[in-house]
Amino acid sequence: MGHETESKVCLKTADGQTIDLGESLSIGRTPDNGLVVEEDMVSRRHAVIHREGAGKCWIADYGSRNGTFVNARRITQPTTLSHGDLISIGSSVLTFIEEEHFSDESTAHIFNETRDHIRAVNCWMLLADIANSTGLLQSISEAEVREMTKNWIAECAALIEKHGGAMNTLLGDGFFAYWQEPPDAAREIDAFLADFRELQDRADPEFRCVLHHGPVIHSGGQAYEGCLSGIEVHFAFRLEKLAGELQKPRIMSEAAMRLLAMKRESSEIGRFEMKGFDGTYSVFEF
């Protein structure tokens, strides 16, 4: 009677190192894990990959604060892994490889392709939205609001592109834009903010904006194609909601403020809780 051959599975890091899974591999920040990822965004015991039968593997998050992502999607339950899947924990991206199905050459091809497609990058994130869209609808027609919003977004997009950024998502009465971090990012962002504030002061309709900086998961082949995900993106959206609650036209996170500290005046508003995040966070207006 024949028997199933145990398949060979492993993880590959972004720099090409191979990590054997064995029957189970715990991932976390502390030394007692099978794979140690020493980052503040990684929990002490963050996630586990478990192997069943002849090679079927699944990954589960241990309820970490910042989450575990498979192919740029946050997992909320044990998730089966397939060859070429991208696992993102903190700013680390790992490729799941089933080596018995592929030659070394094709495995390398898939690894390189997926690594280029989904990767962790540092980004500046800008969220902007119309300050009183409900009030506008009560004063002018819906068609006029649509036209006004369209023109405003087009003007903002031109300014963002002028300073090396890109629109990521349109949000009805607002947008989400980002910059992948070049060496002179703080200088470029500062120049953008000066122009953007001038636009904001004369714009009709009135709008507010928030600025954040942090590592995100980028899925897309080119620098400004695809989409962003990850805990820092969620934080930026929480910050945008807070701006509305505080009725502040411009606020930024402490992470953004520290990188712009020598280039742009800002003052701390206070420390605030963010839904889904532990503790309180300093927020600055500028």
Side-chain angles (χ1 to χ4, degrees), residues 1-275:
M1 180 180 295
H3 63 279
E4 287 185 292
T5 300
E6 187 177 89
S7 60
K8 185 178 180 182
V9 293
C10 67
L11 299 176
K12 281 190 178 291
T13 65
D15 59 4
Q17 295 183 40
T18 300
I19 301 166
D20 291 328
L21 291 180
E23 292 184 1
S24 183
L25 179 72
S26 63
I27 305 171
R29 195 174 68 241
T30 55
D32 58 333
N33 288 283
L35 175 58
V36 178
V37 182
E38 297 184 46
E39 296 181 22
D40 291 340
M41 291 178 63
V42 177
S43 300
R44 290 189 294 272
R45 286 179 61 79
H46 196 106
V48 63
I49 300 176
H50 185 71
R51 181 173 177 172
E52 293 180 347
K56 179 182 178 181
C57 293
W58 49 263
I59 185 169
D61 186 85
Y62 276 132
S64 66
R65 172 183 169 184
N66 292 323
T68 299
F69 296 78
V70 176
N71 298 331
R73 294 182 179 275
R74 186 169 187 167
I75 62 171
T76 56
Q77 59 187 8
T79 300
T80 301
L81 293 170
S82 300
H83 181 71
D85 281 349
L86 268 290
I87 302 164
S88 303
I89 293 177
S91 63
S92 299
V93 181
L94 306 164
T95 308
F96 178 73
I97 300 294
E98 294 176 333
E99 291 183 324
E100 88 282 12
H101 293 303
F102 298 85
S103 67
D104 290 341
E105 182 179 345
S106 62
T107 295
H109 171 73
I110 287 180
F111 168 66
N112 290 331
E113 187 178 69
T114 52
R115 180 187 61 190
D116 291 341
H117 183 68
I118 301 177
R119 59 197 183 279
V121 294
N122 286 322
C123 279
W124 290 86
M125 291 162 271
L126 178 81
L127 273 158
D129 68 336
I130 295 173
N132 186 20
S133 55
T134 302
L136 277 177
L137 285 169
Q138 294 172 349
S139 60
I140 60 177
S141 70
E142 184 176 345
E144 288 175 305
V145 171
R146 283 199 303 268
E147 186 65 19
M148 182 183 293
T149 302
K150 176 183 174 183
N151 293 337
W152 166 66
I153 289 176
E155 191 170 6
C156 290
L159 191 58
I160 289 164
E161 291 171 6
K162 172 186 173 183
H163 288 281
M167 289 286 194
N168 183 71
T169 308
L170 297 181
L171 304 169
D173 62 350
F175 60 83
F176 178 36
Y178 72 107
W179 288 254
Q180 287 191 34
E181 188 172 74
D184 60 347
R187 181 184 303 174
E188 191 64 60
I189 293 297
D190 184 63
F192 163 76
L193 289 176
D195 288 348
F196 198 60
R197 180 165 183 167
E198 182 182 335
L199 170 61
Q200 190 177 26
D201 289 343
R202 62 177 170 77
D204 187 16
E206 293 183 5
F207 66 93
R208 56 180 167 256
C209 65
V210 303
L211 183 70
H212 181 46
H213 179 276
V216 303
I217 306 303
H218 178 275
S219 58
Q222 303 298 323
Y224 290 112
E225 295 177 357
C227 63
L228 304 182
S229 63
I231 197 68
E232 299 300 333
V233 175
H234 293 298
F235 188 90
F237 277 89
R238 293 300 182 196
L239 196 64
E240 185 266 343
K241 184 175 181 181
L242 179 64
E245 293 171 354
L246 297 175
Q247 296 186 352
K248 295 289 186 181
R250 293 175 294 272
I251 66 174
M252 69 171 75
S253 66
E254 184 173 8
M257 183 279 297
R258 289 188 181 280
L259 292 171
L260 291 173
M262 302 300 293
K263 298 182 178 296
R264 179 153 296 277
E265 292 183 4
S266 63
S267 58
E268 185 172 3
I269 303 170
R271 295 185 66 85
F272 300 90
E273 294 182 349
M274 301 283 186
K275 185 178 179 181

